[in-house]
Amino acid sequence: MSPENTFNSRLNAVAADTETLLDQILGAAPLEGERSRPKRLLEAIRYSSLGGGKRFRPFLVVESAALFGVARSQALMAGAALECVHCYSLVHDDLPAMDNDDLRRGRPTAHKAFDDATAILAGDSLLTYAFDLLSRAETHPSADVRIKLVMALARASGLGGMVGGQILDLAAEGRFADLPRPHTLAEVETLQAMKTGALIRFGCVAGAILGEASAERHQALERYGAAVGQAFQIADDLLDIEGDTATVGKATGKDAAAGKATIVGVLGIAQSKERLKALVAEASSALSVFGDKAEVLKMAARFVAERQT
Ligand code: GRG
């Protein structure tokens, strides 16, 4: 099989398994400690999390956990938790008060398909559900491992992670008089490492946590995740400039119009493409400690850099 086919089939397998798992855990029956699952909210949650997306973050969890021989069912639970946080972030990012987008994953955004209030609540529920999933024994038999996952995901998602990065992103648009607009390369790198990078890094670190990895292997996956996160964001920014809406599944050309701070905006297209190549090399070299076992993750770094959707 060509490297491209190997990567795509592994990604598609995780996507299918993640879909099945999310479908199953987002059922109508209330769980112990829940009273009822209101129909409209559940529909909005299912609309926002099922039937779309590449499931790249769960793929990172499953493939990094596989390096340590972790059971796939456990990695899929942690991957589903991460995907819940990701889907919540997309729903909230699309709201009128944030990016005000009508199209996501080739379909109307959640607030268009439902309404703003329902979309806010669907996002809130997806965020809390992520931690529900991580705390379950199916995710890992050791409570210590589960607590480490909870803490790592909380830190990647919140104030000092994705949400913090989101407010820096809004600041870059000039929305707040009391928050300076990030514009230097270092400032934009920090913004993006938080907004997009933190969840991708968590995906890789989650494998190490589930596998109770040595410090050396944990750090190797952290380094890999940081490089892939940056490559993912630069590829996303290039798609916003060079991609078309039909292929990408969302509006393009919005970054420059909104005055967003991007690495491509600071470095230009040619230099950004050079940086992408360097990041792929950095991601591969970070994995050298794993030898041949990490081939799929190395391919993933290449395909992230070259992706068209
Ligand atoms: C609103 C709390 C809050 C956070 C928003 C992640 C994020 C922060 C906003 C998403 C907007 C955006 C376009 C970010 C750039 C990179 C990115 C996360 C793209 C979407 O991820 P993909 O390509 O999407 O993995 P799919 O649909 O495949 O899951």
Side-chain angles (χ1 to χ4, degrees), residues 108-183:
T109 46
H111 68 276
K112 285 282 166 190
F114 294 85
D115 63 279
D116 292 2
T118 305
I120 291 169
L121 296 173
D124 292 343
S125 312
L126 280 165
L127 175 61
T128 49
Y129 209 55
F131 297 99
D132 182 324
L133 298 182
L134 288 185
S135 65
R136 296 187 194 180
E138 300 102 281
T139 302
H140 200 281
S142 155
D144 189 45
V145 166
R146 300 201 298 270
I147 285 288
K148 284 188 176 135
L149 288 171
V150 165
M151 184 185 272
L153 184 58
R155 297 221 171 138
S157 306
L159 173 63
M162 180 184 70
V163 177
Q166 177 73 356
I167 202 162
L168 294 177
D169 199 50
L170 297 178
E173 292 177 12
R175 291 218 202 179
F176 311 112
D178 61 347
L179 198 53
R181 296 176 74 152
H183 65 281

Side-chain angles (χ1 to χ4, degrees), residues 52-57 83 85-95 98-99 101 104-105 157 162-167 169 194-196 199-200 232-233 236-237 239 248 250 255 260 307 309:
K54 295 176 286 297
R55 312 297 194 191
F56 179 61
R57 293 159 191 78
E83 190 68 10
V85 175
H86 170 58
C87 292
Y88 124 74
S89 80
L90 299 181
V91 171
H92 281 194
D93 188 62
D94 290 334
L95 286 165
M98 302 265 189
D99 261 6
D101 273 306
R104 168 71 63 186
R105 294 173 164 172
S157 306
M162 180 184 70
V163 177
Q166 177 73 356
I167 202 162
D169 199 50
M194 292 168 73
K195 186 182 103 162
T196 321
L199 287 195
I200 289 179
F232 189 94
Q233 182 64 62
D236 202 73
D237 295 341
L239 278 178
V248 182
K250 62 180 182 183
D255 292 351
K260 279 208 189 295
R307 76 198 173 93
T309 63

Side-chain angles (χ1 to χ4, degrees), residues 16-27:
D17 289 348
T18 301
E19 184 79 12
T20 305
L21 180 58
L22 286 171
D23 181 40
Q24 184 198 318
I25 59 187
L26 291 170

Side-chain angles (χ1 to χ4, degrees), residues 19-308:
E19 184 79 12
T20 305
L21 180 58
L22 286 171
D23 181 40
Q24 184 198 318
I25 59 187
L26 291 170
L31 301 176
E32 191 194 333
E34 292 179 343
R35 186 73 181 253
S36 78
R37 292 187 158 192
K39 188 164 174 282
R40 182 178 175 81
L41 182 57
L42 183 62
E43 272 170 15
I45 291 169
R46 291 178 61 88
Y47 180 85
S48 308
S49 57
L50 296 174
K54 295 176 286 297
R55 312 297 194 191
F56 179 61
R57 293 159 191 78
F59 165 86
L60 290 173
V61 179
V62 168
E63 293 296 345
S64 60
L67 293 173
F68 305 96
V70 172
R72 189 177 173 91
S73 61
Q74 294 175 358
L76 284 168
M77 283 291 287
L82 175 53
E83 190 68 10
C84 285
V85 175
H86 170 58
C87 292
Y88 124 74
S89 80
L90 299 181
V91 171
H92 281 194
D93 188 62
D94 290 334
L95 286 165
M98 302 265 189
D99 261 6
N100 195 19
D101 273 306
D102 296 348
L103 197 64
R104 168 71 63 186
R105 294 173 164 172
R107 297 185 302 183
T109 46
H111 68 276
K112 285 282 166 190
F114 294 85
D115 63 279
D116 292 2
T118 305
I120 291 169
L121 296 173
D124 292 343
S125 312
L126 280 165
L127 175 61
T128 49
Y129 209 55
F131 297 99
D132 182 324
L133 298 182
L134 288 185
S135 65
R136 296 187 194 180
E138 300 102 281
T139 302
H140 200 281
S142 155
D144 189 45
V145 166
R146 300 201 298 270
I147 285 288
K148 284 188 176 135
L149 288 171
V150 165
M151 184 185 272
L153 184 58
R155 297 221 171 138
S157 306
L159 173 63
M162 180 184 70
V163 177
Q166 177 73 356
I167 202 162
L168 294 177
D169 199 50
L170 297 178
E173 292 177 12
R175 291 218 202 179
F176 311 112
D178 61 347
L179 198 53
R181 296 176 74 152
H183 65 281
T184 64
L185 183 59
E187 286 165 349
V188 177
E189 277 173 355
T190 298
L191 178 171
Q192 296 197 336
M194 292 168 73
K195 186 182 103 162
T196 321
L199 287 195
I200 289 179
R201 206 166 55 238
F202 170 81
C204 305
V205 166
I209 297 175
L210 284 164
E212 300 178 83
S214 66
E216 186 196 18
R217 282 163 191 246
H218 186 110
Q219 277 158 20
L221 280 166
E222 216 167 4
R223 224 182 103 197
Y224 167 83
V228 170
Q230 213 186 111
F232 189 94
Q233 182 64 62
I234 294 176
D236 202 73
D237 295 341
L238 285 168
L239 278 178
D240 188 70
I241 296 169
E242 297 180 327
D244 63 90
T245 302
T247 318
V248 182
K250 62 180 182 183
T252 53
K254 288 198 68 182
D255 292 351
K260 279 208 189 295
T262 67
I263 300 224
V264 181
V266 178
L267 293 180
I269 291 179
Q271 245 189 293
S272 300
K273 287 185 174 171
E274 284 308 308
R275 181 176 268 239
L276 262 182
K277 282 191 200 143
L279 287 165
V280 173
E282 155 71 5
S284 287
S285 99
L287 296 177
S288 56
V289 61
F290 297 104
D292 290 348
K293 286 207 295 186
E295 274 317 305
V296 175
L297 286 175
K298 288 184 190 167
M299 280 177 213
R302 283 209 301 283
F303 288 105
V304 158
E306 290 160 16
R307 76 198 173 93
Q308 300 300 317

Side-chain angles (χ1 to χ4, degrees), residues 1-12 299 303:
M1 223 191 257
S2 71
E4 184 170 0
N5 287 342
T6 305
F7 169 72
N8 282 328
S9 76
R10 300 279 278 257
L11 180 63
N12 291 340
M299 280 177 213
F303 288 105

